[in-house]
Amino acid sequence: AERYNEFIDKVHTATTKLQQSPSTVEELADYLELYASLEKERNNYDKEYDKVTSFVDLMYEYEIPIPDIQAASYATMDSDYTALRDAMWSADASRDALIHRFNVDLENQVDALNKEVMDVRIAAQHEMILDDESSPEQVTELTRGLLERVAALQGEAEKINKFHRMFKLRESKFQDLTDCSEDVKLRHSLWESRVAWDQDTQAWLATPLNEIDGEAL
């Protein structure tokens, strides 16, 4: 009974998930991943089904007492397993249509990401960053925030391309994001160097000339 319960629970869970149509790109990824894993394990499922069926048949053959609830469950085992097979067939048949449908969503995500990249590029042209008289500490705080935004966008871009790979679609290049990242990193690095130089200069000015480390200079 324990073996049957474990098997039929797996069947019910998988069937329920496959019968639920995905409504987001993330749900589609999970849906296709589940289908792929079930397809890979199809032979093992069939073997387990045969073993459980033989076990149940033996119980009836030798008239082993079976509780009514368990007997009712055994009686629906064939239809339950058929439902799983039908759900797998349906998932396979609808795969291309689902991918086409959600590819539009991915394209919208790419467009939205590129707009955010443009916002960061505009922010990187802030007059504070371009003004030599700006406070280095304030500028580095600003550029550090831009770096964090770029890192978040890079993570989102990788997530989108992960879906592209999973759905066997052409990956997006995100060249604007790459260029933006290099630009922001350069601006941040320049202003960080300015901060470090100012700090070193202040330290040297406060140190007697004969105590200054020439190598450090």
Side-chain angles (χ1 to χ4, degrees):
E2 183 177 347
R3 184 169 192 170
Y4 166 81
N5 290 336
E6 182 179 342
F7 174 72
I8 207 65
D9 284 346
K10 287 167 55 178
V11 169
H12 286 162
T13 299
T15 303
T16 299
K17 289 182 177 180
L18 286 181
Q19 288 176 340
Q20 294 174 346
S21 181
S23 58
T24 66
V25 172
E26 290 78 9
E27 288 181 3
L28 175 59
D30 291 340
Y31 181 84
L32 295 180
E33 190 172 42
L34 172 62
Y35 167 73
S37 67
L38 289 171
E39 185 63 29
K40 183 178 180 180
E41 293 293 321
R42 179 192 288 268
N43 288 338
N44 291 334
Y45 268 77
D46 287 344
K47 290 177 182 178
E48 186 65 17
Y49 170 75
D50 290 339
K51 289 179 181 178
V52 171
T53 300
S54 296
F55 170 75
V56 173
D57 289 343
L58 284 173
M59 292 180 67
Y60 281 110
E61 181 180 349
Y62 288 96
E63 299 181 348
I64 297 175
I66 302 174
D68 291 343
I69 295 179
Q70 198 72 40
S73 182
Y74 290 159
T76 62
M77 182 170 60
D78 287 347
S79 59
D80 287 343
Y81 196 57
T82 298
L84 175 59
R85 287 176 172 172
D86 289 345
M88 290 177 64
W89 178 87
S90 178
D92 183 50
S94 63
R95 182 182 187 281
D96 290 345
L98 287 171
I99 288 176
H100 177 73
R101 169 186 163 194
F102 285 103
N103 185 38
V104 175
D105 288 349
L106 284 174
E107 290 176 354
N108 290 337
Q109 289 183 28
V110 170
D111 290 342
L113 188 147
N114 285 330
K115 288 179 181 178
E116 289 190 51
V117 170
M118 183 58 65
D119 289 342
V120 173
R121 300 198 76 160
I122 292 173
Q125 300 294 325
H126 194 287
E127 60 182 16
M128 181 191 298
I129 298 176
L130 304 178
D131 187 355
D132 289 341
E133 300 302 319
S134 297
S135 164
E137 289 77 11
Q138 291 182 350
V139 176
T140 52
E141 182 178 353
L142 173 59
T143 55
R144 190 175 296 109
L146 294 178
L147 284 175
E148 292 174 356
R149 289 177 64 183
V150 167
L153 290 173
Q154 288 173 325
E156 187 63 26
E158 174 54 32
K159 180 180 176 182
I160 290 172
N161 272 336
K162 176 184 176 183
F163 290 137
H164 280 150
R165 291 190 294 271
M166 181 178 292
F167 303 157
K168 294 180 172 53
L169 300 171
R170 183 169 57 87
E171 294 185 37
S172 299
K173 297 297 184 181
F174 294 112
Q175 187 59 49
D176 285 348
L177 176 57
T178 299
D179 295 341
C180 177
S181 175
E182 293 175 354
D183 181 50
V184 173
K185 285 179 180 178
L186 177 60
R187 295 178 188 278
H188 182 68
S189 177
L190 290 173
W191 278 98
E192 272 200 329
S193 298
R194 170 75 178 277
V195 171
W197 174 259
D198 288 349
Q199 291 174 344
D200 289 342
T201 300
Q202 292 298 320
W204 294 332
L205 292 175
T207 304
L209 185 60
N210 61 344
E211 294 182 11
I212 292 180
D213 185 351
E215 294 184 2
L217 290 173

